[in-house]
Amino acid sequence: DPNGKLRNSSRDRPVAEIDLSDRDYFGALREKDVGTFISGVVTGRIAAEKNFNIARRRSSAEKEFDGIIVVSVSPDYFTNFWRQTAAPATTFTGLLRNDLMILAREPSSPSLNLSPTSATAVAIRQNDRGSFRAISPVDGIDRWAAFRRVGSSNVYVVHGVAVSAVLGLWYQHLAIYGAFFALAATGLFWSSRRAFAEIERRLLAEDQLRQAEKMEVLGQLTGQFAHDFSNILTAILLNLEALRGGATH
């Protein structure tokens, strides 16, 4: 309600008398309507569990502050999901506010706030989304990381993968593709070799055919020449016989 008293809850029946007026979301929304406010991680006063709160302001018909509506979310919901979907131990995923307060992180970190000089902090100050490479101060692993602002909220999600894991997968794919292209290149080499051998065989056959045609033409010319020479020689011999006969008489 407007005084910070708990009036209704989905987890506590009957509703306990709890004062929430000291929570950061209550103070921020009481002053003005800032839309959706996401708090830091606190220990709940109903179930005594760690959670962060998503709150929105209620206003009366006269636009006066009339309390807030709060949804409490356990960080374990996110970390359990991340463990199932991002199995490699070298990955990390985090949810943090733009003031660098960590809402959820897997693997967990002893700190509740991110260092303002960290690569993640520098990156989210510069843009709403992007990527960077950095060595984690938590576990000392060199990672590629990507981040993105969640809608128009003040929350960012960050996910990182170890450089060694990325390169390992890349090398594995390179080996598979390399083996495939090596086989393809080998097959192409032998196919090309057979093709070149066939071309050489055909060129040799064509050359032999041309040589045979040349010899045939040469044989024809030689035969014609011999025939013509025989005719001339016959005429000469006849003339010589005639002259010999004339000389005798």
Side-chain angles (χ1 to χ4, degrees), residues 126-179:
Q126 295 175 347
N127 209 332
D128 286 345
R129 65 174 68 185
S131 61
F132 58 92
R133 179 178 177 177
I135 298 176
S136 171
V138 177
D139 52 24
I141 296 178
D142 186 13
R143 292 185 176 95
W144 281 110
F147 68 94
R148 182 173 183 172
R149 186 175 182 178
V150 181
S152 59
S153 69
N154 63 334
V155 174
Y156 289 80
V157 62
V158 185
H159 181 70
V161 181
V163 173
S164 59
V166 175
L167 293 179
L169 183 62
W170 184 78
Y171 288 142
Q172 181 182 357
H173 289 172
L174 183 63
I176 294 173
Y177 297 147

Side-chain angles (χ1 to χ4, degrees), residues 3 12-13 25 28 68 71 96 110 120 197 199 204 236 246:
N3 298 314
D12 190 25
R13 300 289 180 168
Y25 52 82
I68 58 174
V71 176
L96 67 151
T120 304
I199 292 173
L204 180 61
I236 292 173

Side-chain angles (χ1 to χ4, degrees), residues 2-59:
N3 298 314
K5 304 298 182 181
L6 182 64
R7 295 304 181 190
N8 197 3
S9 173
S10 63
R11 299 193 63 176
D12 190 25
R13 300 289 180 168
V15 179
E17 292 186 7
I18 298 176
D19 186 358
L20 300 172
S21 61
D22 61 334
R23 295 299 199 194
D24 57 353
Y25 52 82
F26 186 86
L29 293 171
R30 179 175 54 188
E31 295 299 323
K32 62 179 179 178
D33 188 356
V34 295
T36 301
F37 184 93
I38 301 176
S39 76
V41 177
V42 295
T43 301
R45 291 175 180 168
I46 297 177
E49 297 173 351
K50 292 289 185 180
N51 58 61
F52 60 90
N53 299 286
I54 304 173
R56 290 187 68 90
R57 172 183 171 130
R58 293 182 71 248
S59 299

Side-chain angles (χ1 to χ4, degrees), residues 57-111:
R57 172 183 171 130
R58 293 182 71 248
S59 299
S60 65
E62 292 76 22
K63 305 299 181 181
E64 297 293 331
F65 177 62
D66 195 28
I68 58 174
I69 300 172
V70 183
V71 176
S72 296
V73 182
S74 171
D76 292 340
Y77 171 83
F78 295 95
T79 55
N80 290 336
F81 174 76
W82 293 334
R83 289 190 194 104
Q84 295 173 5
T85 57
T90 54
T91 64
F92 93 92
T93 309
L95 196 65
L96 67 151
R97 301 197 313 184
N98 57 2
D99 62 356
L100 307 182
M101 180 175 288
I102 299 172
L103 302 179
R105 190 185 191 280
E106 177 57 35
S108 61
S109 170
S111 176

